[in-house]
Amino acid sequence: MEMEPEAVSTLGHTPLPQEFYLRADVLQVARELLGKVLITDLEGGRTAGLITEVEAYRAPDDRACHAYGNRRTRRTEVMFQAGGRAYIYLCYGIHHLFNVVTGPEGMAHAVLIRAVEPMEGLGIMLERRGMRDLSPALTTGPGALAQALGLHTSQTGYSLLGPGAQIRVEDTGRRPAGADIAAGARIGMTSAGECAAWEWRFWLRGSPYVKSGGRR
DNA sequence: CGAATGATCGGCT
DNA sequence: GCCGATCATTCGA
């Protein structure tokens, strides 16, 4: 199959400013990331997707957060940096999970991007995923989306700021209405105690690009 | 140094 | 639904 030239788009010019990420309310930042566009200019070319599902993680009180209790290790150190960087780690030895670091320096907050709706670089995403046809599975689920966008643990710490950032998030100018945002418990909270019930997972209601059907 | 753990996915039943 | 893949990170000895 021959690749069509990418449609002319407004993408690639205006990443979200650092002020967006610096806010102390990670739940608000998480909700506002819905409907934004995650763009990567990495090996293989540009890929981009509309963010449809996220989860918030917040030290020190959130047991599910890697930096629970403000625990600093080499891995979690990036979460304590000022908002606007990538935190990417390996899960189950296989999946590279992409998070956006938020909050001011010293506050270890992050938003896990769980799913996007493909916007640019469809052919590249299919190739990276080893898939032939477009389906929600291409970019639904944190491991799947990271693979489709070429994200890798080696990019942890990358700045998302400035027009030259290889990984960045941009505004579409449109914001989903509050009624279009659903909330529920985060996925995979096996031993997070009370935190497991916190409804810190947010998604665009009705989007086919949401894991677990998007209940509620 | 060894061992357990996990914010998952895809294939199989 | 269940299960196996597969490895960086962390912690305890």
Side-chain angles (χ1 to χ4, degrees):
Chain A
M1 170 172 82
E2 196 159 350
M3 295 287 288
E4 295 290 332
E6 295 291 353
V8 176
S9 90
T10 58
L11 299 178
H13 300 294
T14 317
L16 294 176
Q18 187 166 28
E19 297 78 62
F20 179 91
Y21 301 103
L22 285 179
R23 290 172 294 165
D25 184 352
V26 64
L27 302 183
Q28 181 64 16
V29 176
R31 281 186 289 259
E32 289 186 21
L33 280 169
L34 294 174
K36 301 287 192 292
V37 186
L38 175 60
I39 303 168
T40 61
D41 280 310
L42 298 164
E43 184 89 16
R46 171 172 300 177
T47 46
L50 189 79
I51 298 174
T52 54
E53 183 184 355
V54 299
E55 281 178 4
Y57 288 86
R58 185 181 77 185
D61 54 323
D62 173 14
R63 259 212 257 172
C65 180
H66 291 158
Y68 173 58
N70 281 339
R71 191 174 57 136
R72 285 177 183 262
T73 65
R74 199 150 77 241
R75 181 174 64 154
T76 63
E77 195 58 38
V78 65
M79 283 209 271
F80 289 88
Q81 294 195 41
R85 288 185 186 277
Y87 169 44
I88 307 174
Y89 74 95
L90 191 66
C91 186
Y92 291 99
I94 300 175
H95 305 286
H96 300 256
L97 269 53
F98 172 75
N99 303 252
V100 168
V101 174
T102 74
E105 188 178 351
M107 208 174 257
H109 296 178
V111 177
L112 170 68
I113 309 300
R114 291 189 51 87
V116 303
E117 177 177 336
M119 289 181 67
E120 277 195 31
L122 207 54
I124 302 167
M125 295 194 216
L126 287 168
E127 188 179 334
R128 284 175 177 154
R129 297 272 292 132
M131 293 172 61
R132 289 189 55 179
D133 305 302
L134 173 63
S135 81
L138 181 66
T139 53
T140 303
L145 131 220
Q147 185 178 34
L149 294 193
L151 295 163
H152 188 271
T153 54
S154 61
Q155 297 140 2
T156 202
Y158 276 30
S159 172
L160 310 178
L161 310 173
Q166 291 177 280
I167 306 170
R168 60 192 184 279
V169 182
E170 298 188 1
D171 203 331
T172 57
R174 280 184 295 238
R175 175 167 302 198
D180 293 329
I181 297 178
R186 292 172 293 179
I187 305 285
M189 299 287 100
T190 47
S191 59
E194 304 228 328
C195 314
W198 295 352
E199 301 199 324
W200 287 7
R201 171 173 168 249
F202 306 100
W203 65 92
L204 290 180
R205 195 184 298 280
S207 170
Y209 292 90
V210 169
K211 198 75 174 173
S212 312
R215 299 201 181 286
R216 274 176 57 103

